[in-house]
Amino acid sequence: MSLSTTTSHLTILPSLPSTSPLSLRFSFTFQPKTNQKTCLKTLLSSSTRHARFLVKSQSTTASSEAVKVTQVPSEMKAWVYGEYGGVDVLKFDSNVAVPDVKEDQVLVKVVAAALNPVDGKRRQGKFKATDSPLPTVPGYDVAGVVVKVGSEVKDFKVGDEVYGDVNEKALEGPNQFGSLAEYTAVEEKLLALKPTNLDFAQAASLPLAIETAYEGLERTGFSSGKSILVLNGSGGVGSLVIQLAKQVFGASRVAATSSTRHLELLKSLGADLAIDYTKENFEDLPEKFDVVYDAIGQCDRAVKAIKEGGSVVALTGAVTPPGFRFVVTSNGAVLKKLNPYLESGKVKPIIDPKGPFPFDQVAEAFSYIETNKATGKVVVFPIP
């Protein structure tokens, strides 16, 4: 490894395999913080001009090539890790190769991304047996603008504002190029048009969490007239389970747990009963539920709170029968189905008030989400 430094710039050249599709240089440039509103105005203005240029310059010739070529750079800024470990393995690299686009993919200019607990577990090597090769650009959730489309893509065009979870399977071969970069390549089927009333940061907060919330409810056979208890109702998934159960599935009664300071949030999301877990045990309540959605890892207690024949969805921790676990499959069709509820305001994204974290503070964002104290989602925005 060679190392060179100046007062404001640090470049590290690690020894990585020459066959790696990622750049082998980690480059750090330290810049002063800027006003987020100014950043947003500048970014959106720049993105609009860039999108217009791309539309004009898109190839109009019939081609058998994998992509319709537009002018995008060959290298980009991205967060990368080349080994598993703590937050310190994350490095900022200014010279990562922009990923190639396959026939069924689009290239997205990333405007905002979001973190999920799975990002940290993946970086720690919790499922390295099925992970993509290292080095890796992390990140599942994305919102941005389409700048290139594969030859088989039918539903999107250059200039479309989209959002989605870039990994079809969360644990099985996730993309080596994730969303914590200036560009990411995503299969068309994983994306949907961004809800018109949401900004990029709000849209980026949704995909993995809302798809997990929706699929979990579907797998329990949840339907109109049923009751549900949501554990960790103020979290990224839990806050959306409350809203989907009420607004989309027609729940007759929604209860949810949180700490004292989040009880009003639960009620504002539609919870009929907000339970302070610091003062009472939900399993000791006389009321029982058709479904318990365990988004915190308390399945052994959750099974005591269901009616006879009820179901428990367990997202983390040990599973106690009749509880079950599933790993969400990313699906743009689910986002398209839920867009009307988002655009009407019936379902709202919840972003942690400590964010959004700017792109140069991704390591801090990882450290924060791994405290398990986040409210809603941890968002990274803007991405230049």
Side-chain angles (χ1 to χ4, degrees):
M1 175 182 291
S2 61
L3 176 68
S4 62
T5 63
T6 65
T7 303
S8 61
H9 191 78
L10 172 64
T11 301
I12 303 175
L13 301 175
S15 299
L16 293 173
S18 60
T19 55
S20 169
L22 299 182
S23 164
L24 303 186
R25 182 165 71 177
F26 296 151
S27 181
F28 302 79
T29 302
F30 303 96
Q31 300 176 346
K33 291 185 177 180
T34 55
N35 182 276
Q36 288 190 17
K37 292 183 178 178
T38 301
C39 286
L40 173 60
K41 183 177 180 181
T42 302
L43 175 67
L44 294 180
S45 175
S46 174
S47 296
T48 301
R49 292 196 302 271
H50 188 50
R52 287 173 182 164
F53 168 73
L54 291 172
V55 170
K56 291 179 181 178
S57 63
Q58 184 176 355
S59 173
T60 57
T61 59
S63 172
S64 59
E65 295 177 348
V67 297
K68 299 175 183 178
V69 179
T70 62
Q71 292 206 4
V72 296
S74 59
E75 293 184 335
M76 64 181 180
K77 300 179 180 70
W79 285 86
V80 181
Y81 57 89
E83 60 181 319
Y84 294 116
V87 172
D88 59 312
V89 302
L90 289 162
K91 308 298 179 185
F92 185 76
D93 190 344
S94 296
N95 303 101
V96 173
V98 173
D100 294 328
V101 178
K102 298 177 182 178
E103 290 87 348
D104 63 342
Q105 292 182 327
V106 302
L107 186 68
V108 175
K109 173 65 183 76
V110 182
V111 179
L115 296 184
N116 296 278
V118 69
D119 288 293
K121 293 176 182 178
R122 181 187 179 194
R123 191 204 65 240
Q124 293 163 10
K126 295 290 180 67
F127 53 95
K128 58 186 173 183
T130 57
D131 200 1
S132 58
L134 297 177
T136 291
V137 174
Y140 285 69
D141 289 326
V142 68
V145 180
V146 174
V147 294
K148 186 182 291 187
V149 297
S151 59
E152 295 178 3
V153 171
K154 297 179 176 62
D155 292 338
F156 300 111
K157 63 183 184 303
V158 171
D160 281 345
E161 297 180 351
V162 296
Y163 76 129
D165 168 5
V166 304
N167 294 299
E168 183 174 13
K169 299 289 186 182
L171 309 182
E172 299 175 19
N175 291 348
Q176 191 173 14
F177 291 91
S179 59
L180 290 169
E182 290 185 284
Y183 296 89
T184 189
V186 193
E187 287 82 355
E188 176 185 28
K189 65 182 179 180
L190 306 184
L191 296 172
L193 291 174
K194 180 178 72 67
T196 55
N197 62 318
L198 301 184
D199 61 31
F200 286 101
Q202 292 171 321
S205 75
L206 288 166
L208 180 57
I210 203 167
E211 289 174 343
T212 301
Y214 183 85
E215 187 173 340
L217 288 167
E218 274 208 321
R219 284 174 177 255
T220 67
F222 199 75
S223 59
S224 177
K226 290 188 176 182
S227 61
I228 186 170
L229 168 63
V230 184
L231 306 185
N232 191 23
S234 62
V237 174
S239 61
L240 290 163
V241 173
I242 294 171
Q243 296 180 78
L244 295 185
K246 197 82 167 187
Q247 300 295 339
V248 179
F249 288 84
S252 61
R253 185 163 170 80
V254 177
T257 66
S258 75
S259 61
T260 309
R261 66 191 182 100
H262 289 136
L263 295 178
E264 291 306 313
L265 171 63
L266 301 187
K267 295 175 184 176
S268 73
L269 296 175
D272 302 294
L273 174 64
I275 303 168
D276 186 342
Y277 70 76
T278 69
K279 297 179 179 178
E280 54 186 335
N281 296 321
F282 63 84
E283 69 270 30
D284 294 336
L285 296 174
E287 182 177 4
K288 304 303 176 186
F289 302 88
D290 294 303
V291 170
V292 176
Y293 202 119
D294 175 18
I296 195 65
Q298 298 175 336
C299 190
D300 56 332
R301 297 170 58 192
V303 296
K304 300 175 183 177
I306 56 173
K307 298 176 181 178
E308 185 176 352
S311 300
V312 175
V313 184
L315 294 187
T316 186
V319 177
T320 303
F324 70 92
R325 176 178 292 132
F326 76 98
V327 178
V328 67
T329 299
S330 177
N331 187 349
V334 171
L335 298 178
K336 293 173 187 174
K337 181 176 182 177
L338 296 177
N339 270 0
Y341 297 94
L342 293 162
E343 292 179 339
S344 69
K346 291 181 178 179
V347 177
K348 301 178 178 66
I350 305 298
I351 296 177
D352 188 275
K354 287 186 179 292
F357 287 80
F359 194 47
D360 62 355
Q361 292 183 15
V362 163
E364 288 86 344
F366 265 94
S367 293
Y368 178 58
I369 195 172
E370 289 171 32
T371 66
N372 296 318
K373 295 180 180 179
T375 302
K377 291 295 295 295
V378 175
V379 174
V380 177
F381 171 86
I383 296 179

